[in-house]
Amino acid sequence: MIVAGIGIFIVAAFIALLLISGIGASPKYLEPWQPEYAQQADDPRISLVARGLLAASGHNMQPWKVRLDPADSNVLDLYADSTRLTPEVDPLSRQMMVTQGTFLEYVRIAGQQEGYDVEIRLFPEGEYDERHLTASMEKKPVARITLTQAEPRTEPLYPFLYSPDTNRGAYEPGKLSSEAKATLEGIGDGYGVQVTVYQDEDNVQKLGEYAIRAAKIEASVRRVMKETELIFRANEREKNEYRYGFSVEGQGTQGLMRHLMQGMVTLFPSLNVGQAAADTFVKSTQTSVDHTSVYAMIVASENTRSAQVLSGMAYSRLILEAHRLGLAVQPLSQALEEYPEMKAKYDGIHRDYAPGGGSIQMLVRVGRPTREAPLSMRRDVMNEYPYTAPNARI
């Protein structure tokens, strides 16, 4: 009877965790990943925005607003959403601007696939007033996008828009072929940045050390970790409600175990905050570094807002080209963050890898994945997009 009672208790606990996780809920936060999702919109601009929101974004904040030009059905403006800043980890909003570029490149590739020439003009109303950055973000667009009807053509990178941008799992050991290396490094030419692939033993070890040490620093800064904790979505209900931020999938948990973990974290939030979250972050970074044979770096000659956006566009292309080559990527850019505690690592990696005065915008690991990555939350273009800038009309 005791054994039977224990068994019943375990089964009941198991079922309870699944229910708390929301195992029966429809994952509406994944709908934008379906290719037919974008076809719901009659306006081609909204259809392209639906593809753009699949792009990578810092902390998965998806900080994009768009304004459809009411006078010209071929024009839309992209704004940085100042309500989605992450000021602790990104105090100078550099990652925010890189994220604007990732969106723009996805829109351009989708437009080409749909039969449009996509012209992107950065900061058409001038660059930001850095003294009043948040207010300037609200008033000035990052880019003006103009569509011109053209002959539809097959864009070879287009299918990979629907692949997860980040894979945090283990990668197979081994270097890239000379052709793959040349392909990735050649990306920078189209954006005025330099893409360098490192796969020799010395640089792989050195960059891995930067990644680990920077992760330990970040894990020790409570206000930075708290910022991450605030956007963690513990269960299906929260993921459907917010549709941005982090979830257990990003920590590599999938399948039935994902729901068990979600149930546990919902019941016991302390499992994923404070020291527990810090330890998980460092352990995850260590695992990533231990299973990495190749790194890629994007360096801009200067650190202007335009250069940051162009770096983001190059990063999107790097992701998509990597997918086309059967590879995956994951950012490990903590050493590039600009809060005070990270200054020594920031200065060190720039001294070692941008001695000519350039600005490192992205550091990512690259490799052939050992397993597929899960899809992450995306916002609903039909209900949340297009956002309107001040005085805009849709």
Side-chain angles (χ1 to χ4, degrees):
M1 291 177 62
I2 293 174
V3 171
I6 292 174
I8 292 171
F9 174 79
I10 291 173
V11 171
F14 180 85
I15 294 173
L17 289 175
L18 297 182
L19 293 174
I20 292 169
S21 169
I23 192 169
S26 174
K28 295 184 180 301
Y29 56 86
L30 295 182
E31 289 176 353
W33 290 101
Q34 301 303 314
E36 62 273 14
Y37 174 82
Q39 304 303 327
Q40 298 177 72
D42 294 331
D43 190 319
R45 294 172 296 180
I46 299 178
S47 179
L48 295 185
V49 169
R51 275 57 167 258
L53 65 84
L54 300 179
S57 62
H59 278 50
N60 193 26
M61 292 298 286
Q62 304 166 51
W64 307 298
K65 298 193 297 188
V66 297
R67 173 188 181 271
L68 304 185
D69 189 325
D72 191 336
S73 61
N74 294 310
V75 177
L76 65 156
D77 287 343
L78 171 67
Y79 290 77
D81 187 347
S82 63
T83 68
R84 292 177 178 271
L85 295 171
T86 50
E88 299 298 343
V89 74
D90 186 29
L92 303 183
S93 298
R94 182 188 60 80
Q95 294 178 25
M96 163 69 102
M97 301 316 297
V98 170
T99 292
Q100 303 306 306
T102 62
F103 177 94
L104 289 170
E105 190 64 15
Y106 270 42
V107 167
R108 175 156 65 181
I109 289 171
Q112 292 170 344
Q113 176 74 19
E114 295 294 325
Y116 293 96
D117 289 330
V118 181
E119 177 190 353
I120 297 173
R121 181 185 172 197
L122 298 184
F123 297 100
E125 298 178 14
E127 294 224 11
Y128 294 147
D129 178 355
E130 297 292 336
R131 298 168 300 175
H132 306 95
L133 183 58
T134 300
S136 198
M137 284 181 177
E138 292 298 315
K139 294 177 181 178
K140 294 185 176 183
V142 175
R144 179 156 296 146
I145 305 167
T146 303
L147 309 179
T148 303
Q149 195 77 44
E151 288 295 323
R153 56 191 182 277
T154 300
E155 167 52 64
L157 296 180
Y158 175 76
F160 302 105
L161 298 183
Y162 296 97
S163 299
D165 53 85
T166 300
N167 188 319
R168 294 180 174 83
Y171 297 167
E172 295 178 2
K175 299 179 179 180
L176 304 187
S177 68
S178 57
E179 294 80 8
K181 181 175 183 292
T183 295
L184 298 185
E185 291 188 328
I187 289 170
D189 296 341
Y191 305 90
V193 299
Q194 181 179 356
V195 177
T196 305
V197 172
Y198 296 97
Q199 50 186 359
D200 61 283
E201 184 175 345
D202 289 345
N203 278 307
V204 168
Q205 180 178 351
K206 182 184 290 188
L207 290 170
E209 289 173 354
Y210 267 117
I212 290 296
R213 291 172 182 171
K216 290 179 178 179
I217 291 171
E218 181 160 307
S220 71
V221 181
R222 181 63 193 135
R223 68 181 189 281
V224 173
M225 294 301 292
K226 180 69 173 178
E227 189 173 66
T228 300
E229 292 167 9
L230 290 174
I231 56 172
F232 180 80
R233 315 307 177 197
N235 51 56
E236 296 301 293
R237 179 188 60 79
E238 291 185 3
K239 288 190 284 185
N240 275 331
E241 179 179 356
Y242 296 104
R243 300 177 67 141
Y244 69 93
F246 295 127
S247 60
V248 298
E249 297 98 307
Q251 300 172 352
T253 306
Q254 301 185 47
L256 191 61
M257 185 58 67
R258 168 170 66 90
H259 286 288
L260 294 176
M261 182 60 69
Q262 287 184 167
M264 289 291 292
V265 172
T266 301
L267 280 176
F268 308 105
S270 61
L271 292 173
N272 204 56
V273 299
Q275 191 59 47
D279 292 344
T280 297
F281 174 58
V282 172
K283 181 179 179 181
S284 174
T285 304
Q286 183 69 64
T287 300
S288 294
V289 167
D290 290 344
H291 294 88
T292 299
S293 301
V294 182
Y295 290 94
M297 186 179 290
I298 298 176
V299 181
S301 60
E302 52 188 358
N303 198 25
T304 63
R305 296 302 184 186
S306 292
Q308 293 164 4
V309 174
L310 288 167
S311 296
M313 296 176 73
Y315 179 52
S316 271
R317 176 127 337 222
L318 186 148
I319 291 171
L320 299 173
E321 288 285 5
H323 288 332
R324 187 178 65 83
L325 294 167
L327 305 171
V329 303
Q330 177 196 353
L332 289 176
S333 292
Q334 282 73 30
L336 309 180
E337 294 167 350
E338 293 134 320
Y339 52 90
E341 293 86 346
M342 197 63 75
K343 186 176 188 304
K345 294 303 169 208
Y346 179 93
D347 290 345
I349 197 169
H350 277 81
R351 182 176 58 249
D352 290 344
Y353 290 95
S359 175
I360 306 173
Q361 299 293 331
M362 293 294 298
L363 172 64
V364 301
R365 58 191 287 252
V366 182
R368 196 168 298 279
T370 58
R371 63 180 182 182
E372 293 185 2
L375 297 169
S376 54
M377 295 172 283
R378 285 301 185 272
R379 298 163 74 187
D380 182 3
V381 73
M382 303 307 294
N383 291 331
E384 298 189 61
Y385 285 80
Y387 291 107
T388 58
N391 302 317
R393 291 180 297 146
I394 302 301

